[in-house]
Amino acid sequence: MALIEVGAKAPAVPGVAFGDGPVALLFYKDSCPVCQMTAPLTAAFEAGAPGRLVGVGQDDEGRRARFASTYGFASRSVGDLPPYDVSNAYGIVSVPTLVLVGRDGVVADVSGAWDRSAWNRIGEAMAADLGVPAFRS
């Protein structure tokens, strides 16, 4: 399985609408230490582009809620439970993975695993598309 490529049509994510502006999808698991470390950084995305970052949690609703309250995950989250259909459609092999989907429904950028410069690049691209001041993680 390979991580989805820039330029590919973004597979559907239940509860997430593409087309009315860019959306960043953050794939995560509550037991992942790096996901726990990066969870508070979602606040920069939420402040700069409210509602445009959506977590795709590989856990049930209760675990996602505990993750949010314990680690400061600031964005809404949808579930992707076993057999992880959404994660598999995006080729997720490690978490956290951040995927920017443009208003055209096409993958505009991808950061597999934690990479601050890539997350900042994605945040800057999202801000530019929305016409808001740039924000960084």
Side-chain angles (χ1 to χ4, degrees):
M1 177 174 12
L3 186 59
I4 196 163
E5 294 183 8
V6 171
K9 179 170 176 33
V13 177
V16 178
F18 301 134
D20 62 347
V23 176
L25 302 171
L26 177 57
F27 291 84
Y28 73 96
K29 183 134 184 83
D30 74 332
S31 59
C32 163
V34 178
C35 298
Q36 294 166 5
M37 176 194 77
T38 58
L41 302 177
T42 60
F45 276 85
E46 196 58 34
R52 295 288 171 184
L53 176 70
V54 179
V56 181
Q58 297 174 335
D59 302 291
D60 64 43
E61 186 175 351
R63 291 179 73 140
R64 292 191 323 269
R66 280 190 299 281
F67 178 83
S69 66
T70 301
Y71 299 105
F73 191 82
S75 299
R76 78 180 178 99
S77 182
V78 298
D80 183 32
L81 302 177
Y84 307 113
D85 292 333
V86 175
S87 295
N88 288 331
Y90 279 83
I92 304 301
V93 294
S94 64
V95 290
T97 292
L98 186 62
V99 178
L100 178 61
V101 179
R103 61 181 68 243
D104 57 0
V106 172
V107 174
D109 204 342
V110 179
S111 174
W114 166 236
D115 176 344
R116 183 180 297 272
S117 63
W119 282 39
N120 286 334
R121 181 182 69 235
I122 289 170
E124 290 166 359
M126 181 179 284
D129 187 310
L130 294 169
V132 300
F135 52 90
R136 300 173 69 80
S137 59

